[in-house]
Amino acid sequence: MARVERPEIGTEMYAVFEHRYYIPGHAAPVMEYCVCKGAVRGFFAGGYTEVSLLFTGPDGFPEPDYRRLDDIGKKLFYTAAEAAALAKSMTEKYERTWGWIGAPEFPMARPWEKLLEVPANG
């Protein structure tokens, strides 16, 4: 396994968060996957090293989080586009998994789609 370098304190990183919200008149919550930006605040070393981050959560509030250092490039990314690609695969997997019960009344929102768009100038 390749060794992952520690990012500098203050480095901006991106991760995918599960977000549930309510629609008026609908009894159950609706789920979506969101790409959120955070900053590295520190590290904790034990059996493995954790990265301490402070994200702005899907609802816009500060959300502290801890991720394994080994998750960089898998669940924690340096660019929003990489995190959006993970959100896309998670959305597709969720829809495949639960699609056998029929199309949902409210399909999953895709707030990460705009992060995958390639600029026209390259």
Side-chain angles (χ1 to χ4, degrees):
M1 179 185 289
R3 182 172 179 210
V4 178
E5 294 296 321
R6 289 184 180 194
E8 296 289 323
I9 303 293
T11 302
E12 287 186 353
M13 301 196 82
Y14 298 86
V16 177
F17 283 80
E18 190 175 276
H19 179 232
R20 287 187 171 89
Y21 60 96
Y22 288 91
I23 296 173
H26 190 261
V30 180
M31 191 178 79
E32 67 183 354
Y33 291 106
C34 297
V35 174
C36 298
K37 179 170 67 170
V40 176
R41 295 181 355 161
F43 301 93
F44 296 106
Y48 56 88
T49 302
E50 286 185 333
V51 183
S52 171
L53 300 120
L54 183 62
F55 284 96
T56 300
D59 291 318
F61 297 106
E63 192 169 316
D65 196 21
Y66 301 91
R67 304 281 173 126
R68 291 178 67 126
L69 186 62
D70 294 343
D71 284 345
I72 294 176
K74 299 173 193 159
K75 297 179 185 177
L76 186 62
F77 303 96
Y78 288 106
T79 67
E82 291 174 308
L86 176 62
K88 178 181 179 185
S89 69
M90 291 171 73
T91 299
E92 290 170 350
K93 180 179 178 185
Y94 184 88
E95 289 175 339
R96 270 194 321 272
T97 302
W98 295 103
W100 64 273
I101 61 174
E105 184 178 349
F106 298 101
M108 288 186 82
R110 289 168 162 72
W112 42 262
E113 277 186 326
K114 64 184 179 293
L115 299 172
L116 291 176
E117 293 175 2
V118 178
N121 296 342

